[in-house]
Amino acid sequence: MPVSDSELTQMFEQVLTLSRVDETQSVAILKSHYSNPRTVRAAMDAAQRLKAKVYAVELPSFNHPRAMGNDMTAYCGDTALTGNLAAQRALEAADLVVDTMMLLHSPEQEQILKTGTRILLAVEPPEVLARMLPTEDDKRRVLASEALLKQARRIHVRSAAGSDFHAELGQYPAVTEYGFADEPGRWDHWPSGFLFSWPNEETAQGTLVLDVGDIVLPFKNYCRERITLEIDKGFITGIHGGFEAEYLRDYLKYFKDPEVYGISHIGWGLQPRAQWTAMGLHDRNDGMCMDARAFYGNFLFSTGPNTEVGGTRKTPCHLDIPLRGCDIYLDDRAVVLAGDVVYPPESKAD
């Protein structure tokens, strides 16, 4: 159901407050012509109500010649900020950037964060923002699981559909998303509620089975048949199934880059207000479909780049694939069983 402009502004005021915005802070609103104008206006109004020093940075849209579709996650690395040092400096000058156009996976974003500037991405429809309005409790539950993930040295994932995947951990950091940016240099995304890390290089091994009803992003498709991925030494080496497997093979082949087959971040969803079914109620260009990435108890794995945590795979193709009904073990301790969060107790939803 539609969210009013007044309600959207109130929600932004709440999230910016959680992000420690007050009269001592400067807030930059990053936008382009395709940004949701209601989101831009609400972010600006909320920052003013909190007495922050607020300004806008507007950039032209950018479309790489090899990009397909309008989804903002379908081509990574180059953005409208690439090579625009003046705009980058304007963003670095802010305490917080509200990103309504998406810099994710770009080196410019990483450089901005290194200055201590915080970034909050907000590109989902207002109704999705409302349903998953972040809270301190979201942060508490995500951080409880982060403590386990930081200590873990091995992950093992199984499912009734046939997944049997394992990898070593520890080479790369654990990353959390809970919906607000409250620490210097923090990037977050409203809405969200999950955590992830990356496998140690060349250790991801086994089989991942996309079952009927699982989701492939940025295609924004529910699988209608099973797709089996064979994984060896950190890379997908086989894609088996029917038409949907063929479609996935051809899509990856299009980029002519062996690094698109690398296993990127892996983790699980902790947001009970995110819904597996929500994608079916939106048009494909409505947003990024954060419901799919964050829904409670999913196993989310991705393919492609890992440069944002110091890796060497700089590739434009990035898939996010959340699976339902999985068992996830960290160092032989079950954290998710059959798609339900079981440990630690502090991470379980009421």
Side-chain angles (χ1 to χ4, degrees):
M1 299 177 68
V3 170
S4 71
D5 289 347
S6 176
E7 183 181 2
L8 184 58
T9 300
Q10 290 172 7
M11 292 190 302
F12 257 102
E13 189 170 354
Q14 179 174 329
V15 175
L16 293 184
T17 299
L18 289 170
S19 298
R20 301 188 180 182
V21 171
D22 58 24
E23 68 276 4
T24 70
Q25 298 276 292
S26 57
V27 176
I29 313 299
L30 177 62
K31 64 176 182 173
S32 189
H33 81 274
Y34 59 84
S35 297
N36 186 321
R38 296 182 62 211
T39 299
V40 170
R41 187 167 57 249
M44 182 78 71
D45 289 349
Q48 287 184 290
R49 288 170 62 166
L50 293 170
K51 303 186 185 307
K53 306 298 186 293
V54 60
Y55 59 99
V57 175
E58 182 166 4
L59 296 177
S61 59
F62 169 82
N63 179 60
H64 194 279
R66 292 188 62 83
M68 289 191 288
N70 290 329
D71 188 279
M72 293 171 285
T73 66
Y75 195 95
C76 298
D78 295 321
T79 72
L81 194 59
T82 301
N84 192 336
L85 188 59
Q88 181 179 321
R89 293 290 183 262
L91 296 172
E92 291 172 352
D95 294 297
L96 175 73
V97 174
V98 179
D99 181 1
T100 69
M101 57 178 289
M102 192 154 130
L103 299 178
L104 186 59
H105 298 298
S106 71
E108 289 76 20
Q109 175 173 284
E110 297 308 309
Q111 292 165 16
I112 292 167
L113 293 171
K114 286 178 181 177
T115 70
T117 295
R118 313 187 301 282
I119 299 178
L120 180 67
L121 179 64
V123 293
E124 293 289 77
E127 294 71 30
V128 177
L129 298 178
R131 178 162 43 81
M132 287 189 275
L133 189 67
T135 67
E136 288 284 3
D137 188 58
D138 290 328
K139 176 180 178 178
R140 178 190 61 78
R141 290 186 297 100
V142 171
L143 293 188
S145 285
E146 181 195 27
L148 283 182
L149 186 57
K150 282 182 173 180
Q151 297 171 1
R153 291 299 172 261
R154 184 176 174 83
I155 186 171
H156 186 191
V157 179
R158 300 183 303 197
S159 74
S163 292
D164 192 355
F165 168 87
H166 56 86
E168 295 178 14
L169 302 172
Q171 182 176 354
Y172 296 110
V175 176
T176 59
E177 294 186 27
Y178 45 74
F180 49 96
D182 56 343
E183 299 292 341
R186 178 172 180 80
W187 179 93
D188 213 311
H189 189 174
W190 171 27
S192 56
F194 58 100
L195 75 163
F196 49 92
S197 187
W198 283 255
N200 293 0
E201 295 295 336
E202 299 187 356
T203 68
Q205 201 80 21
T207 302
L208 286 170
V209 178
L210 286 59
D211 203 359
V212 174
D214 289 335
I215 296 170
V216 182
L217 303 167
F219 302 163
K220 295 173 182 167
N221 284 341
Y222 292 102
C223 293
R224 307 286 177 161
E225 56 191 21
R226 284 186 176 177
I227 304 172
T228 299
L229 307 182
E230 295 178 2
I231 299 156
D232 183 53
K233 295 182 179 179
F235 285 80
I236 297 169
T237 57
I239 303 174
H240 306 290
F243 164 76
E244 293 183 2
E246 178 186 2
Y247 184 94
L248 180 56
R249 283 196 302 268
D250 279 9
Y251 179 78
L252 294 172
K253 183 180 178 181
Y254 165 80
F255 289 90
K256 297 180 180 179
D257 181 358
E259 295 198 330
V260 305
Y261 299 95
I263 298 298
S264 187
H265 61 75
I266 52 177
W268 64 99
L270 288 167
Q271 180 51 269
R273 298 187 300 283
Q275 297 301 311
W276 161 69
T277 56
M279 188 175 72
L281 301 175
H282 288 275
D283 293 334
R284 290 191 177 185
N285 292 328
D286 278 354
M288 288 175 55
C289 196
M290 286 301 290
D291 276 280
R293 291 175 172 87
F295 71 83
Y296 192 72
N298 75 21
F299 171 64
L300 176 67
F301 75 96
S302 72
T303 64
N306 64 358
T307 52
E308 65 265 42
V309 287
T312 60
R313 281 202 310 277
K314 185 180 185 300
T315 183
C317 177
H318 179 68
L319 301 177
D320 281 326
I321 304 176
L323 306 183
R324 299 180 300 149
C326 290
D327 301 333
I328 305 174
Y329 294 84
L330 297 180
D331 295 334
D332 298 322
R333 178 186 288 277
V335 294
V336 175
L337 290 176
D340 187 36
V341 177
V342 297
Y343 195 85
E346 297 82 5
S347 288
K348 298 173 68 174
D350 295 333

